[in-house]
């Protein structure tokens, strides 16, 4: 930021009265040409970067928890003392400045140099020589990045069947697909990151098996890759349509960057689109296509969108929101065939569409785990440390079914942030730590100018407590079972969403035994 007119708040290098910053309070100012967030905890005052390094949310609107500050939008977490990004989805640290207190005033001084993470580096004595990661998605990348951030010096090989380096997949169904974000925003890191950090990234690499005895990963090209530790992060794949005409070139699913590019190319000439499925992905695609001025019809078998996850009231709100933006719903129906530019529905209607996008669900890619003889139960079963049933093999992301201490159940979720956080925990444990995975599931879904945050996991609930006005887009929904809050959904209640996450985390840690970060 170089334009002084964009700076807000006082010049902190000139000092402010200590009384202007209450205990636990936050204040925005600037030092030189950069915005700074001041945070006071008791007698200590911290000065850090004012924006989250993920999507640049204002941290002043976030939540201070102990020596950390949490992002209001997507629940990243930063250490106030070091600036370190402690929790995904942020992977880069925030800046830190020195702070001096004298004569009842607070002065922000020099920007502090970023320090490498050293707290866990001593575990390198136990560290393996060769780590292999199968998968180039959220969990695989987060594990790779965490390994190098923890000063792991051994070999890292990432085997990905994607054609592109790891990307910010949530963007594919949101801003990038809508045309409001350039493609350079999509990669999680530039290509140079891998060579500079001595990470061997193999793209379009197909793994055919795992030799447990020799500890080797078998590749389709006949070569083997040896490992001392292995992370399975194979993710999920879209459920494919099995109706006549599903193999036509204008019929797409959305998972990879190449998928998104193909949809965008088709959208340049399409006037009408049919989205099959009223899931989060399906409706985000619908919103993105409406942003491009395309007529959109959504076809789905359920009575209302998202009812299974968010309940009746929120489902009705989501439908109304999309209808206000011109989306036409065909619910309690399904496609029976696609013949050229015509989609036939089981209910008898025919819809015209030059573009069809199927968002009818995903399934975990567990074939490798099954072939290797790992314990599988609607996902790869792992323990609290994300270890599989085989020594030296961990699993993370969409395929992992883990014992969730908050709900008390064994669960598997398909959320981007959870995949990244699991990858980070798996990385630590592959280095010899024994860190339980106690993070609470979190995801967000963007629909036009409305973002829905969801914390926790509630497959079933017997009570839904609503605070606020759903129709006005200002609410918190608490999903309870036997009087216990299992999940919280919210719209424009960011701090309450963060507070719910902290409460669930502390509950999970208390049940599992351990400490909260």
């Amino acid at each position: 930021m170089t334009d002084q007119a964009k700076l807000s708040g006082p010049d902190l290098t000139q000092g402010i009265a200590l009384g202007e910053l209450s205990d636990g309070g936050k204040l925005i100012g600037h030092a030189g040409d950069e915005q700074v967030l001041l945070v006071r905890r008791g007698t200590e005052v911290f000065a850090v970067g004012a924006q989250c390094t993920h999507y640049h949310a204002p941290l002043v609107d976030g939540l201070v928890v102990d020596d950390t500050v949490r992002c209001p939008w997507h629940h990243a977490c930063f250490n106030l003392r070091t600036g370190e990004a402690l929790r995904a989805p942020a992977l880069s640290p925030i800046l830190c400045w020195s702070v001096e207190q004298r004569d009842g005033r607070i002065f922000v001084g020099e920007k502090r140099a970023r320090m490498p993470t050293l707290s866990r580096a001593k575990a390198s004595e136990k560290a393996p020589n060769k780590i292999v990661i199968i998968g180039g998605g959220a969990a695989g990348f987060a594990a790779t990045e965490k390994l190098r951030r923890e000063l792991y010096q051994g070999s890292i090989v990432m085997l990905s069947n994607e054609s592109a380096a790891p990307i910010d997949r949530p963007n594919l169904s949101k801003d990038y697909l809508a045309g409001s974000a350039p493609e350079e925003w999509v990669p999680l890191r530039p290509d140079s990151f891998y060579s500079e950090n001595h990470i061997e990234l193999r793209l379009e690499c197909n793994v055919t098996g795992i030799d447990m005895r020799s500890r080797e990963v078998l590749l389709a090209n006949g070569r083997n890759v040896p490992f001392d530790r292995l992370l399975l992060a194979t993710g999920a794949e879209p459920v494919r349509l099995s109706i006549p005409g599903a193999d036509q070139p204008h019929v797409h699913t959305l998972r990879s960057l190449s998928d998104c590019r193909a949809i965008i190319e088709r959208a340049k000439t399409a006037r009408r689109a049919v989205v099959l499925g009223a899931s989060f992905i399906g409706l985000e695609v619908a919103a993105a296509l409406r942003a491009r001025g395309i007529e959109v019809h959504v076809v789905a078998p359920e009575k209302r969108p998202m009812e299974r996850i968010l309940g009746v009231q929120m489902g009705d709100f989501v439908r109304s929101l999309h209808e206000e933006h011109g989306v036409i719903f065909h619910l309690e129906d399904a496609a029976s065939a696609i013949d050229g530019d015509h989609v036939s529905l089981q209910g008898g209607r025919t819809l015209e569409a030059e573009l069809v996008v199927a968002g009818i669900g995903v399934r975990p890619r567990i074939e490798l785990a099954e072939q290797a003889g790992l314990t599988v139960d609607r996902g790869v079963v792992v323990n609290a440390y994300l270890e599989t049933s085989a020594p030296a093999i961990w699993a993370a992301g969409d395929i992992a079914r883990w014992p969730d201490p908050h709900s008390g159940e064994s669960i598997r979720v398909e959320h981007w942030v959870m995949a990244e956080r699991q990858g980070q925990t798996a990385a630590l444990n592959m280095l010899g730590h024994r860190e339980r995975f106690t993070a609470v599931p979190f995801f967000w879904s963007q629909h036009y100018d409305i973002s829905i945050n969801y914390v926790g996991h509630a497959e079933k609930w017997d009570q839904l407590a609503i605070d606020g006005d759903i129709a006005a887009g200002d609410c918190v929904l608490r999903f309870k079972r036997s009087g216990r809050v299992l999940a919280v959904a919210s719209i424009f209640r960011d701090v309450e969403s963060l507070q719910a996450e902290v409460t669930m985390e502390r509950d999970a840690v208390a049940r599992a035994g351990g400490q909260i970060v």
Side-chain angles (χ1 to χ4, degrees):
M1 179 185 300
T2 58
D3 185 356
Q4 294 290 326
K6 293 182 180 180
L7 298 174
S8 60
D11 182 349
L12 299 175
T13 64
Q14 300 302 308
I16 62 168
L18 181 61
E20 292 185 46
L21 189 61
S22 61
D23 187 7
K26 302 186 293 292
L27 182 147
I28 284 289
H30 60 90
D33 62 355
E34 295 181 282
Q35 292 284 179
V36 176
L37 172 69
L38 281 187
V39 178
R40 179 178 173 184
R41 294 196 66 247
T43 60
E44 288 189 284
V45 178
F46 304 97
V48 298
Q51 292 184 322
C52 176
T53 57
H54 176 230
Y55 279 1
H56 310 295
L59 293 178
V60 71
D61 295 334
L63 182 68
V64 174
V65 181
D66 299 325
D67 289 347
T68 70
V69 60
R70 301 194 178 205
C71 171
W73 292 357
H74 307 129
H75 293 208
C77 179
F78 300 92
N79 187 308
L80 288 170
R81 298 184 183 278
T82 66
E84 181 186 0
L86 298 175
R87 291 173 179 239
L91 300 172
S92 299
I94 52 177
L95 297 171
C96 292
W97 283 261
S98 62
V99 178
E100 182 182 358
Q101 297 184 49
R102 63 178 187 269
D103 302 326
R105 293 178 67 81
I106 303 168
F107 296 87
V108 170
E110 297 293 323
K111 190 184 301 181
R112 299 205 320 247
R114 289 176 177 171
M115 299 297 291
T117 302
L118 297 174
S119 59
R120 307 179 195 266
K122 292 181 180 178
S124 59
E125 299 171 3
K126 307 176 185 178
N129 292 321
K130 300 176 181 178
I131 292 179
V132 174
I133 298 171
I134 302 178
F141 175 81
T144 300
E145 192 273 343
K146 186 68 170 175
L147 287 169
R148 287 302 188 229
R149 210 189 321 167
E150 293 292 322
L151 306 182
Y152 171 63
Q153 300 297 311
S155 166
I156 301 177
V157 178
M158 177 183 282
L159 308 173
S160 172
N161 65 356
E162 303 280 358
S163 59
I167 60 170
D168 180 18
R169 184 167 282 127
N171 229 327
L172 298 187
S173 59
K174 299 179 176 71
D175 293 342
Y176 177 58
L177 181 58
S180 56
E183 188 164 309
E184 52 262 34
W185 288 9
V186 175
L188 286 170
R189 286 288 190 269
D191 289 344
S192 59
F193 168 83
Y194 303 95
S195 58
E196 289 171 357
N197 288 276
H198 306 288
I199 298 164
E200 186 179 347
L201 172 62
R202 302 189 191 181
L203 299 176
E204 298 183 315
C205 180
N206 293 314
V207 176
T208 58
I210 302 168
D211 189 323
M212 306 287 283
R213 287 191 176 184
S214 64
R215 289 195 176 180
E216 291 182 313
V217 176
L218 314 180
L219 305 182
N221 62 12
R223 297 180 180 179
N224 300 341
V225 181
F227 65 87
D228 296 316
R229 302 286 188 273
L230 176 65
L231 175 63
L232 289 176
T234 46
E237 61 183 353
V239 174
R240 305 289 173 176
L241 285 174
S242 58
I243 60 176
D247 58 349
Q248 295 179 87
H250 68 296
V251 181
H252 300 271
T253 57
L254 177 57
R255 184 71 179 178
S256 67
L257 178 57
S258 59
D259 291 339
C260 195
R261 285 170 174 162
I263 294 172
I264 290 172
E265 188 60 31
R266 189 75 185 186
K268 291 177 180 178
T269 57
R271 293 180 299 152
R272 294 161 299 219
V274 168
V275 175
L276 303 178
S279 64
F280 291 100
I281 292 295
L283 291 185
E284 287 178 357
V285 168
L289 295 179
R290 285 297 299 137
R292 291 179 174 271
I294 298 173
E295 179 183 306
V296 177
H297 294 252
V298 172
V299 179
E302 52 263 48
K303 187 175 182 178
R304 56 178 56 83
M306 303 184 188
E307 178 179 359
R308 184 180 66 83
I309 303 296
L310 298 177
V312 172
Q313 297 91 334
M314 189 73 91
D316 286 339
F317 168 74
V318 169
R319 174 175 179 169
S320 296
L321 175 64
H322 281 270
E323 288 179 332
E324 288 172 7
H325 287 81
V327 173
I328 302 167
F329 283 90
H330 307 269
L331 299 175
E332 298 183 274
D333 210 339
S336 57
I338 303 172
D339 183 8
D341 292 346
H342 294 82
V343 179
S344 299
L345 306 186
Q346 292 177 358
R349 294 197 62 178
T350 298
L351 305 176
E352 292 187 41
E354 295 87 12
L355 169 62
V356 179
V357 181
I360 56 176
V362 297
R363 58 169 61 94
R365 292 172 170 161
I366 60 174
E367 295 80 9
L368 283 175
E370 290 175 322
Q371 293 168 11
L374 304 181
T375 301
V376 171
D377 176 17
R378 296 163 296 155
V380 180
V381 176
V382 297
N383 63 14
Y385 306 98
L386 303 181
E387 297 167 314
T388 70
S389 57
I393 302 180
W394 283 255
D398 292 355
I399 64 170
R401 179 170 293 277
W402 82 97
D404 174 38
H406 176 66
S407 66
E409 301 173 350
S410 177
I411 66 174
R412 184 184 69 82
V413 299
E414 296 156 357
H415 304 334
W416 176 259
V417 174
M418 287 305 289
E420 289 186 314
R421 292 180 180 177
Q422 285 184 348
Q424 292 174 327
T425 298
L428 292 175
N429 291 333
M430 286 191 291
L431 293 182
H433 302 285
R434 297 294 288 171
E435 181 167 305
R436 292 174 179 269
F437 184 72
T438 57
V440 175
F442 165 78
F443 71 85
W444 81 94
S445 185
Q446 186 72 33
H447 305 263
Y448 311 101
D449 58 347
I450 297 291
S451 183
I452 301 171
N453 283 2
Y454 184 96
V455 175
H457 184 77
E459 291 187 6
K460 297 179 181 179
W461 64 88
D462 54 30
Q463 181 184 357
L464 176 58
I466 301 174
D467 176 18
D469 187 343
I470 295 177
D474 176 24
C475 60
V476 173
L477 284 68
R478 294 178 174 86
F479 301 84
K480 302 180 181 181
R481 188 167 67 227
S482 301
R484 225 172 132 250
V485 177
L486 296 181
V488 172
S490 62
I491 301 175
F492 293 133
R493 297 282 190 95
D494 293 336
V495 171
E496 289 177 74
S497 179
L498 286 168
Q499 290 170 334
E501 182 178 52
V502 172
T503 299
M504 291 181 196
E505 283 175 1
R506 288 176 169 160
D507 174 71
V509 171
R511 289 169 179 267
Q515 295 181 342
I516 190 171
V517 174

